[in-house]
Amino acid sequence: MTEPGKKLEIQDSRRLTGANLLSNEAGAILDVTISGYPIDEVVHLWQQQALHLLEGIGWIKEQIFFRVFNQGASLSLSAPVDALYAATEVNEAAWNSAVANLQREDVVDYNLTVDQLKKTIDAEQNPDLIRLMDASQERGVCFLSDDETVSIGMGIGSKTWEVDEIPHPDKISWHKIHDIPLALVTGTNGKSTTVRLLASMLKSAGKIAGITSTDYIRVGEEIIDSGDYSGPGGARTLLRDDRVEVGVLEVARGGILRRGLGVPKADTAIVTNVAVDHLGQYGIDTLDDLIQAKLVVNRSLNSNGKLVLNADDEGIVRHAKTVKTPICWFSLDENNPVIIDHLNNGGCVCTIKDNQMIYQSISGQEKIVPINNIPIAMNGASKHNTANCLGAIGLAKSLQINRFAIVEGLTSFRGDLKDNPGRGNLFEINGAKIMIDFAHNVHGMSAIVDTVSSIPAHRRLLLMGQAGDRTDEEIRALTQIAWQIHPDRIVLTDLPVYLRGREEGEVPMIIQKELIRLGSSAASIILTKTPLDGVKEAIDWAQEGDLLLLLILAQRNEVFEYLNSRLTN
């Protein structure tokens, strides 16, 4: 029995299918809580037990990794890709044995444990899969597998089979198998916009771009599935589509931490920015932890790959000192010391000079396009979208996209409900300006508030809600920034699909109390049950010359359909 005040518990046990925060290897990971015991001692004992079990089951080439955090640790071991479920059981057995030793309880017989694990491994193993993986790696092409399917190559150069129908490598026409150019996009905010900007450039270059995002998987102009596909599953689905000529994958923090990267190799990657968001999950407790998690994309880059980084983000600049991959920095400030130093050392940068977006390298300076010609930059008023454009240029240059296509892609990208739904969409209904955005954290809210504040208006309306898994403090902090637009009317909404343990009306009430504390009158605040109800209230209130900031975190399709119907009436 555990003594009072002491705790040794598994919080999560899962497979890692690719490069992750702890290593480049597939395997299994445990997130554990350790309280009342010396963490180093517990981790050391787990190491001993894990190595002993790995030897017993014959996985002598596998490695173990760990990461310690506040009141816990992540404990990982590498494993064959055809035995990842079994690997989780190996990891759990090592942990249970370590706990039993610490608590002086009876330890399960080692030989019995090994025998049981071997049976589990034998039942899961797939020699055909391993043979195909080895053959693809020998030929330098991508190998992707999951529970049901396996594939080699990417996009137009890919071939896919069911896991129980894998052919012998000798029967494959390898001359038809190849990879495609691939870009990874991660960061706290701006990921989806950057993905879509790059896709617009690729379209202008005559390429069929396949993209994944938190909204959908899209091939060319066809949305093949809607939903959050920013994890490994979305990556595999897209890269098995034989129409795709270039891939652009949104890579979210959650996918990296839960499963690792969805692809083993890429040509370029970007970290748009990193701000405090979703802390306290998977042992990510600080901003530095989060930056390290985002920089995992660097692990997948080819030997000649390039990492595009934000020189205006102090945290990224600090952590980039450990990055060995060639970097393309981007900055809104041509006098940023990071930019200047990088140029002096022969590096490449994207920045702004004389109101022009430029790309500069050892080969010289190339003017790309005036800011005023890019719709989503809003003549420079939308600083966050201006930064997204610079980052996208860095990716495009890394993929060898020509200047004409880059310019056409940027200038034709309207940033509206069609091109970039839910991300800084500005349009008019009956003379009232409406801005729709997905701002859901302090960094994103600050960016959109900065943009909206530069737009003149007779009256201003704010519509907002928040997911229930944010702390009261985080919700109040978000409210404080939103209040800076000085709204005359406020519509607060519940997010029924994102209550996440909260009671109905609980989150809007927290926001309302904070708004009143900040100086809002109770009479100016309306409470609605859903975002769509809130949008209807907002549109009914609006008059010519007003500005509505609608922060839509749920029911986006329904809201877009309603607004489109009002636009056409």
Side-chain angles (χ1 to χ4, degrees):
M1 181 178 294
T2 304
E3 298 177 32
K6 293 188 173 183
K7 185 179 292 185
L8 295 168
E9 291 182 355
I10 295 175
Q11 297 301 318
D12 195 19
S13 175
R14 60 190 183 277
R15 297 166 296 147
L16 292 171
T17 57
N20 52 82
L21 185 56
L22 275 67
S23 76
N24 290 330
E25 310 298 327
I29 189 169
L30 290 174
D31 291 323
V32 298
T33 298
I34 303 172
S35 178
Y37 295 88
I39 292 180
D40 290 345
E41 180 183 340
V42 177
V43 171
H44 179 66
L45 190 52
W46 165 82
Q47 287 179 283
Q48 290 181 321
Q49 299 301 320
L51 289 171
H52 195 29
L53 283 175
L54 288 174
E55 182 181 9
I57 61 177
W59 287 1
I60 57 176
K61 293 183 179 180
E62 304 303 337
Q63 298 174 285
I64 59 173
F65 312 90
F66 66 89
R67 175 177 171 273
V68 173
F69 47 85
N70 183 35
Q71 291 196 325
S74 294
L75 311 173
S76 176
L77 51 86
S78 64
V81 296
D82 65 337
L84 297 183
Y85 286 105
T88 63
E89 297 194 24
V90 174
N91 210 4
E92 291 168 20
W95 169 257
N96 291 335
S97 182
V99 170
N101 275 284
L102 281 165
Q103 297 179 343
R104 295 180 175 82
E105 298 175 351
D106 291 337
V107 178
V108 177
D109 180 80
Y110 172 77
N111 291 325
L112 178 61
T113 299
V114 167
D115 288 343
Q116 291 174 336
L117 290 172
K118 283 183 175 180
K119 291 178 182 178
T120 302
I121 293 168
D122 289 343
E124 186 180 354
Q125 282 182 328
N126 186 337
D128 292 339
L129 184 144
I130 297 297
R131 185 167 52 238
L132 181 63
M133 180 185 71
D134 291 342
S136 65
Q137 291 177 346
E138 288 174 7
R139 292 164 173 82
V141 295
C142 181
F143 172 86
L144 299 173
S145 67
D146 51 47
D147 292 346
E148 298 177 353
T149 51
V150 60
S151 62
I152 54 177
M154 298 180 187
I156 59 174
S158 67
K159 183 69 175 177
T160 304
W161 299 272
E162 299 296 321
V163 292
D164 56 356
E165 298 178 356
I166 299 173
H168 192 280
D170 292 345
K171 296 184 178 181
I172 295 173
S173 300
W174 287 98
H175 65 282
K176 298 180 180 180
I177 306 301
H178 60 85
D179 293 335
I180 59 173
L182 184 64
L184 308 183
V185 179
T186 194
T188 298
N189 293 304
K191 297 186 295 297
S192 294
T193 298
T194 302
V195 165
R196 292 164 182 164
L197 282 168
L198 184 55
S200 180
M201 297 175 191
L202 289 165
K203 178 183 177 183
S204 296
K207 299 293 185 181
I208 298 177
I211 69 174
T212 64
S213 70
T214 51
D215 293 324
Y216 49 63
I217 301 174
R218 195 181 81 199
V219 176
E221 298 302 306
E222 180 187 352
I223 295 176
I224 62 175
D225 207 349
S226 297
D228 186 347
Y229 283 102
S230 58
R236 289 192 296 268
T237 299
L238 179 76
L239 294 177
R240 288 169 177 163
D241 191 304
D242 60 11
R243 295 171 294 173
V244 178
E245 296 176 333
V246 184
V248 187
L249 309 180
E250 181 174 336
V251 182
R253 166 209 58 89
I256 293 173
L257 295 171
R258 279 194 299 270
R259 290 280 181 258
L261 292 179
V263 292
K265 54 195 299 188
D267 298 279
T268 186
I270 185 173
V271 183
T272 59
N273 49 65
V274 185
V276 172
D277 194 24
H278 293 293
L279 295 185
Q281 299 177 7
Y282 303 107
I284 303 299
D285 297 326
T286 68
L287 179 61
D288 284 338
D289 292 342
L290 194 56
I291 295 170
Q292 291 175 9
K294 299 289 187 181
L295 283 172
V296 168
V297 293
N298 185 51
R299 295 179 182 269
S300 71
L301 292 182
N302 299 326
S303 57
N304 59 347
K306 190 167 289 183
L307 183 62
V308 182
L309 296 178
N310 187 346
D312 297 329
D313 189 303
E314 293 180 3
I316 291 177
V317 171
R318 188 171 63 252
H319 281 268
K321 295 174 183 177
T322 64
V323 172
K324 297 180 181 179
T325 306
I327 295 173
C328 175
W329 288 102
F330 67 95
S331 172
L332 295 172
D333 180 9
E334 65 174 302
N335 296 313
N336 184 311
V338 176
I339 292 288
I340 295 173
D341 183 64
H342 196 57
L343 280 173
N344 289 338
N345 286 283
C348 57
V349 303
C350 299
T351 188
I352 297 170
K353 186 174 292 186
D354 299 328
N355 211 40
Q356 286 260 1
M357 290 194 173
I358 67 166
Y359 175 81
Q360 193 166 351
S361 68
I362 195 169
S363 301
Q365 178 179 301
E366 182 182 10
K367 293 181 179 179
I368 303 297
V369 62
I371 293 176
N372 295 350
N373 291 1
I374 304 173
I376 68 167
M378 296 175 61
N379 297 322
S382 180
K383 293 179 181 178
H384 63 290
N385 271 336
T386 304
N388 290 335
C389 291
L390 290 172
I393 291 170
L395 291 173
K397 283 293 186 178
S398 300
L399 293 175
Q400 307 299 315
I401 300 173
N402 65 67
R403 177 185 172 275
F404 173 82
I406 293 174
V407 173
E408 176 66 19
L410 289 172
T411 56
S412 65
F413 191 81
R414 312 310 301 177
D416 54 19
L417 291 177
K418 176 181 179 295
D419 282 350
N420 201 27
R423 272 77 175 179
N425 310 137
L426 181 64
F427 52 94
E428 289 191 13
I429 292 179
N430 297 329
K433 290 185 174 67
I434 300 170
M435 173 74 78
I436 292 183
D437 201 77
F438 186 63
H440 62 290
N441 53 50
V442 167
H443 185 272
M445 184 70 81
S446 296
I448 198 65
V449 164
D450 183 57
T451 300
V452 167
S453 297
S454 68
I455 302 174
H458 296 319
R459 301 182 303 169
R460 296 173 185 268
L461 177 145
L462 168 70
L463 182 152
M464 71 177 293
Q466 184 54 284
D469 58 353
R470 305 305 175 101
T471 66
D472 291 7
E473 182 180 347
E474 289 172 328
I475 295 169
R476 285 192 287 267
L478 202 69
T479 305
Q480 290 161 16
I481 296 173
W483 174 249
Q484 293 174 13
I485 71 167
H486 306 297
D488 300 280
R489 192 71 159 177
I490 302 165
V491 180
L492 303 181
T493 179
D494 243 333
L495 304 178
V497 297
Y498 296 134
L499 292 177
R500 293 173 178 170
R502 298 269 193 177
E503 296 295 325
E504 287 187 11
E506 184 179 349
V507 170
M509 191 58 63
I510 294 170
I511 300 174
Q512 182 181 37
K513 288 181 178 179
E514 183 62 16
L515 287 168
I516 291 173
R517 187 191 72 80
L518 291 168
S520 174
S521 68
S524 68
I525 302 174
I526 295 176
L527 301 177
T528 62
K529 291 186 176 181
T530 69
L532 181 58
D533 291 339
V535 168
K536 291 177 179 179
E537 289 279 356
I539 298 299
D540 288 344
W541 176 85
Q543 298 176 4
E544 184 175 351
D546 290 343
L547 174 62
L548 281 57
L549 174 57
L550 310 180
L551 303 176
I552 307 300
L553 308 187
Q555 283 193 312
R556 276 178 285 173
N557 290 338
E558 295 93 329
V559 167
F560 297 159
E561 287 177 7
Y562 172 74
L563 291 174
N564 279 323
S565 71
R566 295 298 299 261
L567 282 167
T568 56
N569 287 342

